Amino acid sequence: MDKKILELEKSLFKVEYMTNIEYLNDVIAYEYLEVGKSGLRFIKQDVVKELSALTEDRNITIYNYDCTRIDENTYLVHYITKSGEQNIFRTSIWKQDSERIYIIFHQASLYKEDAKLIKF
């Protein structure tokens, strides 16, 4: 499952998926909440509006990806991305039901610790 979730995370950086409203509505939960690296809070409608307006891929690379199963249908994901010279620590929570896997939470925080970055 961790590889499937990694691919879903990466899809949210690609314009072909970000501009597909049907795809976004399927992969982002209705109750989705995000806290961005800005410290601001966003709900699903904010994120869908922002992503669907993009015209090119987001230049984001995932490093140090880790996926932990919390319970039968819930997964906790951590990884690092870079923003200029800053490392950003990202956390997502994904749920699975009989039909799909979808994200319910995401947070991005400045990460000041030294880390050996392993690309995924």
Side-chain angles (χ1 to χ4, degrees):
M1 181 57 65
D2 59 333
K3 289 182 182 182
K4 174 66 175 167
I5 294 173
L6 175 60
E7 292 308 311
L8 288 167
E9 288 276 358
K10 286 180 175 182
S11 76
L12 296 173
F13 306 148
K14 297 178 182 174
V15 72
E16 68 185 281
Y17 297 102
M18 294 182 303
T19 56
N20 182 332
I21 301 294
E22 186 176 320
Y23 177 79
L24 293 176
N25 281 325
D26 188 53
V27 79
I28 301 173
Y30 176 77
E31 66 276 11
Y32 177 79
L33 176 65
E34 177 175 327
V35 179
K37 66 182 177 183
S38 64
L40 298 175
R41 184 172 56 106
F42 303 94
I43 60 174
K44 177 180 181 168
Q45 292 80 1
D46 301 326
V47 173
V48 169
K49 182 178 178 182
E50 175 117 359
L51 290 178
S52 64
L54 296 175
T55 58
E56 58 187 43
D57 289 352
R58 295 162 62 197
N59 186 20
I60 298 176
T61 301
I62 292 177
Y63 300 94
N64 300 21
Y65 175 82
D66 182 60
C67 180
T68 303
R69 188 176 189 168
I70 295 175
D71 67 23
E72 187 175 314
N73 301 312
T74 310
Y75 299 86
L76 178 64
V77 172
H78 298 292
Y79 58 93
I80 296 172
T81 60
K82 295 192 74 60
S83 180
E85 293 300 311
Q86 296 180 326
N87 289 340
I88 308 299
F89 189 78
R90 297 179 180 269
T91 300
S92 301
I93 299 175
W94 290 82
K95 296 281 284 182
Q96 179 180 13
D97 63 23
S98 62
E99 298 175 13
R100 64 191 178 113
I101 304 169
Y102 51 94
I103 190 170
I104 62 170
F105 176 81
H106 183 77
Q107 182 167 350
S109 304
L110 186 59
Y111 189 68
K112 293 187 175 188
E113 293 184 21
D114 287 333
K116 179 180 178 184
L117 298 180
I118 300 168
K119 186 176 178 178
F120 278 80

